[in-house]
Amino acid sequence: MTQAAMKLGRPKALLDNRTHYCPGCGHGVVHRILAEIIDEWDIRDSCIGMAPVGCAVLAYQYLDIDMCEAAHGRTPEVAAGVKRARPDKLVFSYQGDGDLAAIGTNEIVHVANRGEPISVIFINNAVYGMTGGQMAPTTVPGQKTTTSPKGRSITGEGYPLRVCELLATLEQPAYIERCVIGTPNKIRRTKNAIKKSFRVQRDLKAFSLVEVLSPCPTYWRVPPTKAAEYIETYMEEIFPPGIIKDTTK
Amino acid sequence: MVLRLKGNEGKPVAYQVRILTEYCKGCELCVAVCPKGALEMSDELTDLGVRPACPKADAECTGCTLCYQVCPDAAIEIWETAEA
Ligand SMILES: Cc1ncc(C[n+]2csc(CCOP(=O)(O)OP(=O)(O)O)c2C)c(N)n1
Ligand code: SF4
Ligand code: SF4
Ligand code: SF4
């Protein structure tokens, strides 16, 4: 008789719903990473997430934790408020690059500057996904989007905004790292970084942010299997992965 | 290290990859990453109208979990099997 036992499967903190994300979308991988950490730490009842405006707007239909929704770009301030009201909870803000680096630039800078003890998961896919692939402040030079059909020009639109490096100049953030959803190895590093960000919040009560270079195959107009290469070729030079700031050591 | 199934001490296990087709969106990331070529795309369409990934009939899965790591839709399970 053959016995069988499941070694690895869907994390418990992921709800049974099928996501609305496109095939190969990085949001799904980051959701699974979050759900795995929530399971491993057994914090399903003591973790509160903030869903952004953007493709991840329905994150609360996928993660089995308490979640709030804020106006576009305002998630870090709402997260800071929730954390002040419930300091015993682990609070994270989940945001895209349009949300965090365009309409919400003001909020993220001040929340980081005040050292609010929250974790920010910053999904940088270099476009506005939800609204149809428009140019974002993080779009790389020459990248074609629906609003930069000839490619982003530096003279017209400036250089991509490096959020990690910008926030690292501030006094209070304790830990800032940039990761990638690409090869399994890079995905594992992303998970470790998010875990570390949660530890910084829990143990040091400090602000931290993990930027994730994340595939949007739909608006990069590449097949999902070419997205990892796309990040390596076009994004990693502008947005070098690695630890940008770490005062925890 | 040889993993063992509970209650089956002493007998080495084999691995099996299973695709949850209701979640699969046919992105092919798992097929591309598998070092054993143990996955392929099915010809049968799901209710989403996609060709899901499926285990190849005669290929060996080593349980390395790489396909699980890259799957954006948590549509993969890795099982251990053993003869009792
Ligand atoms: C106040 C306001 N302005 C504009 C919009 C339209 N809008 C919705 S999502 C979005 C951009 C989302 O892009 P990003 O944050 O990069 O997330 P992605 O969809 O790429 O994951 C915009 C501009 C809105 N919903 N509310
Ligand atoms: S548009 Fe891009 S970011 Fe949005 S779900 Fe599709 S692949 Fe993901
Ligand atoms: S677990 Fe490893 S060997 Fe098995 S199907 Fe997945 S990638 Fe291939
Ligand atoms: S990676 Fe996941 S969603 Fe993509 S084809 Fe494989 S099982 Fe399906």
Side-chain angles (χ1 to χ4, degrees):
Chain A
M1 193 189 75
T2 308
Q3 285 184 315
M6 193 167 73
K7 179 185 170 199
L8 200 57
R10 287 175 66 82
K12 288 197 181 66
L14 269 192
L15 292 162
D16 289 342
N17 302 327
R18 176 157 68 193
T19 72
H20 70 289
Y21 301 123
C22 311
C25 174
H27 281 300
V29 180
V30 181
H31 285 14
R32 195 202 67 234
I33 288 176
L34 282 166
E36 283 174 356
I37 299 173
I38 291 164
D39 280 3
E40 284 165 31
W41 286 26
D42 195 18
I43 51 171
R44 222 188 315 174
D45 294 326
S46 57
C47 175
I48 303 176
M50 300 293 138
V53 171
C55 282
V57 68
L58 300 176
Y60 44 77
Q61 290 189 359
Y62 308 135
L63 290 170
D64 191 13
I65 55 171
D66 284 331
M67 292 196 75
C68 305
E69 176 73 59
H72 204 7
R74 276 54 174 171
T75 29
E77 291 289 14
V78 178
V82 168
K83 183 72 184 180
R84 285 183 181 204
R86 299 301 306 265
D88 55 315
K89 304 284 183 194
L90 195 128
V91 179
F92 69 84
S93 169
Y94 185 105
Q95 304 181 255
D97 48 336
D99 193 73
L100 185 142
I103 196 166
T105 327
N106 188 353
E107 280 72 19
I108 192 64
V109 168
H110 288 285
V111 165
N113 192 45
R114 293 199 308 272
E116 301 280 356
I118 60 164
S119 300
V120 179
I121 318 296
F122 167 38
I123 308 295
N124 179 358
N125 58 18
V127 286
Y128 291 1
M130 185 192 196
T131 44
Q134 293 86 355
M135 194 188 82
T138 42
T139 297
V140 300
Q143 184 180 343
K144 288 183 179 160
T145 69
T146 45
T147 47
S148 58
K150 294 188 175 144
R152 178 178 187 159
S153 113
I154 295 311
T155 38
E157 286 95 44
Y159 277 95
L161 196 64
R162 294 188 180 101
V163 171
C164 288
E165 285 79 354
L166 189 75
L167 297 182
T169 64
L170 304 173
E171 213 47 54
Q172 301 244 51
Y175 166 62
I176 297 175
E177 179 160 357
R178 184 181 287 119
C179 300
V180 179
I181 296 301
T183 59
N185 207 11
K186 291 178 180 182
I187 291 172
R188 268 195 293 272
R189 251 179 272 164
T190 304
K191 181 173 174 182
N192 288 339
I194 295 177
K195 256 191 192 169
K196 175 159 176 173
S197 162
F198 283 7
R199 272 199 303 272
V200 164
Q201 176 178 165
R202 186 190 61 190
D203 303 337
L204 306 175
K205 310 207 171 354
F207 175 90
S208 62
L209 177 143
V210 178
E211 173 173 345
V212 184
L213 305 182
S214 170
C216 175
T218 302
Y219 290 114
W220 297 351
R221 296 179 167 78
V222 298
T225 46
K226 292 276 179 254
E229 192 182 312
Y230 185 99
I231 294 181
E232 234 173 81
T233 314
Y234 300 110
M235 292 180 76
E236 288 190 17
E237 193 186 287
I238 313 271
F239 303 113
I243 294 176
I244 316 291
K245 182 177 184 191
D246 189 356
T247 63
T248 65
K249 294 208 185 78
Chain B
M1 191 186 69
V2 182
L3 288 164
R4 320 219 175 260
L5 270 182
K6 240 195 177 146
N8 194 57
E9 279 73 15
K11 298 201 184 119
V13 298
Y15 295 94
Q16 210 180 61
V17 60
R18 297 186 188 174
I19 305 295
L20 307 171
T21 42
E22 66 271 35
Y23 293 108
C24 177
K25 297 200 187 116
C27 70
E28 302 189 18
L29 287 170
C30 55
V31 173
V33 85
C34 178
K36 288 290 184 181
L39 292 162
E40 62 185 350
M41 301 312 288
S42 164
D43 287 332
E44 310 261 318
L45 295 184
T46 69
D47 67 322
L48 271 185
V50 305
R51 294 169 59 210
C54 67
K56 237 189 238 173
D58 47 0
E60 184 207 7
C61 168
T62 61
C64 70
T65 79
L66 295 185
C67 54
Y68 172 94
Q69 307 287 342
V70 299
C71 177
D73 288 280
I76 295 181
E77 289 176 352
I78 314 288
W79 286 68
E80 296 172 345
T81 63
E83 291 308 318

